[in-house]
Structure formats: structure tokens, C-alpha cells
Amino acid sequence: MAQEISFTPSTVEQVRAAVADTRASHPRLLVTGAGTASGWGAPAEPADAVIDTTSLTGVLKYAPSDLTIAVRAGTPFTTVQETLAEAGQRVVLDPARARRGATIGGLLATADAGPLRTAFGSLRDLVIGTTVVLGDGTVARSGGHVIKNVAGYDLAKLFHGSLGTLGVVAEVVLRSHPLPPAMCTVAVEAGAVEAFDLAGKVVMTGLEASALEWSGGRLLVKLEGTPEGVEQRERELCRLAGATARVLTAEEADAAWAGVAAIADGVQGTTVVRIGTMPAAGPVLVTRMVAAGAAVASSMAIGVHTVRFAGGDHDELLTQLHAEFGAAVTVLRRDGLSADRGWGPPPAPVRVLQAIKRQFDPAGRFGAGRFSPWLEDEERAS
């Protein structure tokens, strides 16, 4: 049996060498970063070697006029934002894990996003180029540094949410946006069903909210843009929402959004899952989860709900959620789950996932167990 070792490459070439040189001696690899999502999905099986990307850092190229930035995948997301902020720009993404040091590669591999997903999507929509290293040491690139360049195989979308099972993400080219000149958060006291109705009206009336998140008995609406535009939409929103609407101070807004992030982060002893639904199914789900004692942060307009349960054994609850929502349930924190719990029964499209795994990692080198039981046949066949 191979002895587990760890590699800490700092360049694409060092990643390539670490992967290629261990094909025979250490066939099973585990890709790690800052470790902020180690509990996501199903538990990884023991590997022969670890590819630690935390030294794979740094900005490779930044072109403010082109609104693009290329970074090594182990670069912390906050470092990217600090670099962009110096030129008045940002990557429009606000994952909760950012404050704990999450890396760009880790966020891509987990398909993570925060409340801004309502208006701007996830990294799937913000990555325009990637460089990855496959199991035989092949270095593959797609996209580039130009936003309109869409030629070639789109590796970013394949690796988005792959949990390190296809290869090592080594470099990422991101699209940036200008920082908004003004922003505000309006909080509306509302139960879940009422908030869903209001969120629908906010969308239909064209108020262009950047984030619409219900949590803790109130709907948080973030507005961004020019000072005049934000002020006008703020007044329209308050008229639409009624007497319980209130514009938060900057400090109150920071605290409110930190509370939303805390639900996704969880704390010791909690189980956190993220559930995707059709928007119409949201009110029943959120009402049921709140009645069961869970803390909920719901991006109501797009049907993404983060649910945190405290204390106890949550295996039966996860079984129920898998039966109802299938593959749309992702475990983010597993303190209340048995060690082997992760994904539910394989969904119909799992054959596509298996085919992609065979195509990109035919030797089954990367991330064994992370999609258990969906990829077990491919991992055993290697």
C-alpha cells in the first residue's frame, strides 16, 4: 500500500509533475485547498497522496480595462477582491466561506455562491477561462482572457461543482464588474409565505434587486447602482412592501448579511444542507423547515434554500429530503449525520456524470468517495 504524501505545488508545471510522477506510486489523489468545504458532499475516501493547492497563489494577469483577472486557483477569494477593489472593481460573488479563506479553485469546485446569486449567478457565470491538470498529467486549457471568446470545450462548467473528482483546477480567469457607486439594504418583516409573495412582486416590478434573501423572519433586499437610482428604487420598494419595510444603516446591513452567511457556515454540532427547488415549491419547504426548528436562508426568487439544523441525529431528515428533492440536496456540514451519508439515490442524469468521469479521469485518480454512491462503479473499475 502506498504511503500518503502531500504535494504543495506553486505553479501549473509543479502540479503537472506531481500528478504525472505519481501515476504508478500513488494512484489515488485528493485535491485540497483551504479546507473550508471538506464536509461538502460525501466524505472523501483515503488517498495515496494529497495535492494541496494553498501555495498555488497569485495574480497572473489583471486588465482593468478588459474587466478580467487571471489568478492561480489557490488564491484566497478575499485577496482577489482586495486586488480588484484598488481599481474600483469586484467579482460579483459573496459566498459565506470567503471570510474563512476559501480559494477561487475551491469555490469553483463546490459551485458555492451567496445571496448575490439572485442577480449575478455563481462562478459558473463569472469564469471565462480555466487551466486544469488531468490524471495523466495533461494540462488542458479552455476559454481565455476575453469575455466574448466562447470557442473550445468549456472546462469551467464541467469542473464547476465537480468536488475535485475530475482533475486539479490550477488557474482561473474571472470576469470582474465595477463596484456599485451606491447600495442599500431594505429589510421587510414578513413570514415565509408573505415574503415569497413580496419577492415575486419585487422581481416583476423591475426593481432589479441584487439579492433577495429571507432569513430570521424578514426579507432582505439589496439594491445597487447609482445614488439616484438606488434612492428611487428604495422608495418604490418601501411603498410596495408597506409599513414593515425599513432601510438599514450600513452597520445593520452588514450584521444582517453576516447572519445569512452564518447559517451557511454552521457551527459545531449542526447539519447544514442546501436545497434547490422550483420557486413555486419554496414556500412549503421553507415553512416546513422553520416549523421543524431549522434556521433558513432562502434566495426565494431563484429557489435556493440553505437550511441549518442544530443538535441530534439528522440522518432521517436527510433521507426525507433526498426522497423529496433528489439530487438537488447538497450536504454542506455533517455534524449530525452518519459518516457515510452524502448523496441520495442516483438521479436519472447520473449516467452523464459517470460518462464525464470516465472521459476526464479514466483511471479514477481524483476524489474517490466524494460523489458516493453515484460514481462507485467508475472508481472500482479503475
Side-chain angles (χ1 to χ4, degrees), residues 254-267:
D254 288 344
W257 292 112
V260 171
I263 292 175
D265 275 342
V267 294

Side-chain angles (χ1 to χ4, degrees), residues 35-96:
T36 58
S38 57
W40 283 48
E45 296 178 2
D48 303 316
V50 172
I51 305 294
D52 178 347
T53 63
T54 53
S55 294
L56 191 62
T57 60
V59 175
L60 298 168
K61 182 179 180 181
Y62 177 32
S65 59
D66 293 338
L67 296 174
T68 63
I69 183 170
V71 300
R72 293 190 176 96
T75 306
F77 181 70
T78 52
T79 300
V80 176
Q81 295 291 59
E82 290 167 1
T83 300
L84 292 170
E86 293 175 1
Q89 297 180 0
R90 63 174 174 169
V91 174
V92 192
L93 192 77
D94 57 348

Side-chain angles (χ1 to χ4, degrees), residues 38-45 163 331 334 339-343 368-373:
S38 57
W40 283 48
E45 296 178 2
L163 294 179
V331 173
R334 53 176 51 257
D340 61 344
R341 295 302 303 269
W343 304 97
R370 295 306 302 273
F371 276 106
S372 177

Side-chain angles (χ1 to χ4, degrees), residues 238-304:
C238 289
R239 280 198 297 270
L240 180 68
T244 65
R246 185 170 71 87
V247 180
L248 301 183
T249 66
E251 292 75 16
E252 289 173 333
D254 288 344
W257 292 112
V260 171
I263 292 175
D265 275 342
V267 294
Q268 187 173 4
T270 60
T271 298
V272 181
V273 297
R274 184 161 289 160
I275 307 166
T277 70
M278 296 295 288
V284 173
L285 170 67
V286 172
T287 300
R288 199 173 86 207
M289 295 295 100
V290 171
V296 178
S298 172
S299 295
M300 292 184 154
I302 58 173
V304 177

Side-chain angles (χ1 to χ4, degrees), residues 108-315:
L108 180 65
T110 54
D112 196 9
L116 288 174
R117 65 170 72 87
T118 294
F120 299 99
S122 65
L123 274 182
R124 183 180 185 278
D125 308 291
L126 298 168
V127 173
I128 61 173
T130 53
T131 299
V132 302
V133 178
L134 305 181
D136 61 355
T138 297
V139 177
R141 292 184 170 86
S142 73
H145 296 263
V146 182
I147 291 173
K148 291 183 179 180
N149 181 0
V150 294
Y153 208 22
D154 195 341
L155 292 176
K157 289 183 173 56
L158 284 175
F159 278 70
H160 186 253
S162 64
L163 294 179
T165 59
L166 299 180
V168 185
V169 179
E171 295 176 353
V172 180
V173 184
L174 297 154
R175 177 180 184 177
S176 63
H177 288 75
L179 285 167
M183 70 173 66
C184 79
T185 296
V186 178
V188 184
E189 302 295 328
V193 173
E194 182 186 359
F196 269 99
D197 181 61
L198 176 58
K201 292 178 180 176
V202 171
V203 172
M204 295 301 293
T205 51
L207 288 172
E208 298 181 347
S210 297
L212 272 169
E213 197 82 7
W214 183 84
S215 184
R218 60 182 181 175
L219 181 66
L220 301 173
V221 186
K222 180 175 285 187
L223 302 173
E224 300 178 332
T226 64
E228 297 79 10
V230 168
E231 185 177 350
Q232 178 184 354
R233 287 182 286 146
E234 176 187 298
R235 289 196 299 269
E236 292 177 8
L237 174 58
C238 289
R239 280 198 297 270
L240 180 68
T244 65
R246 185 170 71 87
V247 180
L248 301 183
T249 66
E251 292 75 16
E252 289 173 333
D254 288 344
W257 292 112
V260 171
I263 292 175
D265 275 342
V267 294
Q268 187 173 4
T270 60
T271 298
V272 181
V273 297
R274 184 161 289 160
I275 307 166
T277 70
M278 296 295 288
V284 173
L285 170 67
V286 172
T287 300
R288 199 173 86 207
M289 295 295 100
V290 171
V296 178
S298 172
S299 295
M300 292 184 154
I302 58 173
V304 177
H305 319 285
T306 305
V307 184
R308 185 187 69 200
F309 289 92
D313 179 349
H314 304 126
D315 283 340

